[in-house]
Amino acid sequence: MGACLRRGGAESVTFHVEAARAPIRLARELRAKGARASMALRPATPIEPYADMLDELDMVLLMTVEPGFGGQKFLDLVLPKIRRTRELLGDRPIWLQVDGGVSAETIGRCAEAGADTFVAGSAVYSADDPDAMVATLRDLAVAACRH
């Protein structure tokens, strides 16, 4: 797997914890092969059962929509989970990413709650000027982190 990861350009691998039988073993194997290990959680999956394994990860991805297709509406009910995850991460150098419904209207709330890495698909690709939208989203996230 290690050579395949490097040849394929996979420096980071994210797995859905709900689909992993042995998430700690998987995270350790990914890291041993030279990839960053990242765990994704669906909106209704709580972070607390996984608190003890956070040191095995390089990133936690919180889905802010149900996975499956783009263009869904951001689920505000995930904001408290973003805050709680940030609390659990503390000062560890682990990224907290959000994915789903991230847009100019939602990225600030995500950043204020503690997210520091963002996946914005539909907001960027449906924009008249995708480059300008990326710059806008970056500015909004940075501004929210300053408050």
Side-chain angles (χ1 to χ4, degrees), residues 57-142:
L57 302 169
D58 299 293
M59 183 179 78
V60 174
L61 166 59
L62 301 180
M63 297 298 300
T64 49
V65 300
E66 286 297 331
F69 62 93
Q72 295 180 61
K73 187 176 181 322
F74 179 86
L75 296 172
D76 284 302
L77 62 87
V78 180
L79 289 169
K81 184 161 84 171
I82 297 170
R83 285 187 201 90
R84 178 65 178 137
T85 302
R86 175 51 59 203
E87 289 172 9
L88 291 171
L89 292 175
D91 60 356
R92 293 178 180 110
I94 300 170
W95 298 351
L96 177 49
Q97 184 177 69
V98 292
D99 181 2
V102 175
S103 67
E105 291 75 36
T106 61
I107 197 166
R109 293 191 311 242
C110 293
E112 288 171 0
D116 55 24
T117 309
F118 309 90
V119 177
S122 297
V124 172
Y125 295 110
S126 65
D128 291 335
D129 184 345
D131 291 334
M133 179 55 73
V134 169
T136 296
L137 293 171
R138 183 180 299 116
D139 292 346
L140 290 168
V142 169

Side-chain angles (χ1 to χ4, degrees), residues 1 5 10-17 20 22-41 53-61 89 93-97:
M1 178 162 75
L5 286 174
E11 295 179 11
S12 177
V13 176
T14 302
F15 60 89
H16 274 271
V17 71
I24 293 172
R25 185 174 58 209
L26 177 55
R28 287 179 177 173
E29 186 174 336
L30 289 168
R31 283 176 147 183
K33 301 296 183 184
R36 291 176 53 88
S38 306
M39 172 181 74
L41 290 85
M53 72 170 283
L54 293 175
D55 287 323
E56 305 291 340
L57 302 169
D58 299 293
M59 183 179 78
V60 174
L61 166 59
L89 292 175
I94 300 170
W95 298 351
L96 177 49
Q97 184 177 69

